[in-house]
Structures are given as structure tokens and as C-alpha cells.
Amino acid sequence: MDASNWSALGSVGAAVFAAASAFLSYRAATADAKSADFDNCLEIVAKLAEHERLVRDATSDDLKLSEIRALINFMEALAHLYNANKITPSTREFVKHYLIEAWAFLRCEQMPGSALLDSLTSPTTYAELGKFAEKHKKEIEEQTAIYLAQKDS
């Protein structure tokens, strides 16, 4: 084998090695993305659960109103990400499910005064949450009925 053949063989070997390296890097990046997506889901679940717990356990009307506003603001941020399709598919499914549950939870809670109306500061306040609620109205109503039935029993 002469030098040009060895050179060609070396080039082919380098190309195969580069392709294998790129494939392995892609696989690692995909695994990292799935892990990050799973972590996002868990974080959202934990934050919504914490907000709902704080609303439920509030000891005064002022505290309850404050916690309701914090929950609604968090829900608005999630609704914006959901409506704009800015989150990965599996996290998006979690967000949808938990926004439906959180909205139903709020509908079943005893709210001091006009908590939601008092929070409106402009025509666009909670606009994304409104869009989400309109799109998923039937599911929210079904979940609300389940929560109300549980409260009655």
C-alpha cells in the first residue's frame, strides 16, 4: 500500500470516528434534554401543589387573597408558555393537566370578596389564562364537578 492509499484510509477512519462521535454526542444531548424535561415537570408539579396548599391553609382573608393572587400569577405564566407552545411536549401535557386542576381548585375555593376581579389591573391581566380556560372549558368544568362532589361527601 502506498502513501496515498494510507492517507485515504486514514481519512475514511477519521470520518467514521467523527460520525460516531457526533452520534454519541447527539444521544447524550437527547438524554440530557429528556432529563431536563422530566425535572421541569416535577418542578411545576411541586410549585402548583405548594401554591394550592398555601391557598387552602391560609389563616386570614388577607393571607388567602395574597396566596390566591400568587397562584393565579403562576398559572398565568404557565398558560402563557402553554399557549405560545414554548415548552416541550411532555412538560406541556403536565402543564395542561395541572392548569385544569388548579383552575378547578380555584373555582371550588371560598375566596374573600372578589379576589380575582380585584387583581385585574388592565384588559390584558390574566389574558393567557383566560384563553387557556376558554379552550379547556369542558375539562375544567368536569374537574370542578369532581372536586365539588368530593367536598360534599
Side-chain angles (χ1 to χ4, degrees):
M1 231 182 194
D2 62 0
S4 62
N5 286 343
W6 281 110
S7 177
L9 186 60
S11 295
V12 168
V16 168
F17 181 74
S21 178
F23 176 75
L24 292 174
S25 293
Y26 167 78
R27 296 285 298 184
T30 302
D32 286 346
K34 286 180 182 176
S35 177
D37 188 34
F38 180 71
D39 290 345
N40 286 342
C41 291
L42 293 179
E43 188 174 339
I44 289 166
V45 168
K47 283 184 179 182
L48 270 173
E50 177 68 9
H51 280 295
E52 287 180 2
R53 185 188 63 73
L54 290 170
V55 169
R56 185 195 67 220
D57 295 345
T59 55
S60 71
D61 281 355
D62 287 342
L63 182 58
K64 187 167 195 134
L65 181 58
S66 175
E67 296 303 344
I68 287 171
R69 286 180 177 154
L71 172 58
I72 293 171
N73 285 330
F74 183 65
M75 290 170 61
E76 172 70 4
L78 288 177
H80 170 70
L81 294 172
Y82 181 90
N83 293 341
N85 205 16
K86 296 290 184 188
I87 44 183
T88 59
S90 58
T91 300
R92 192 168 194 271
E93 280 303 307
F94 268 104
V95 166
K96 175 185 170 188
H97 175 75
Y98 281 101
L99 279 174
I100 289 168
E101 286 197 0
W103 192 257
F105 167 81
L106 281 176
R107 291 177 75 187
C108 296
E109 274 300 299
Q110 294 284 15
M111 290 196 212
S114 54
L116 188 58
L117 291 177
D118 293 343
S119 299
L120 299 176
T121 57
S122 79
T124 59
T125 304
Y126 308 131
E128 294 296 326
L129 193 52
K131 287 179 203 173
F132 178 88
E134 185 62 34
K135 185 175 181 181
H136 301 284
K137 184 177 182 176
K138 181 181 177 197
E139 295 154 293
I140 292 168
E141 288 173 353
E142 290 170 353
Q143 189 64 44
T144 301
I146 291 168
Y147 284 165
L148 290 173
Q150 289 172 347
K151 278 189 167 190
D152 291 340
S153 58

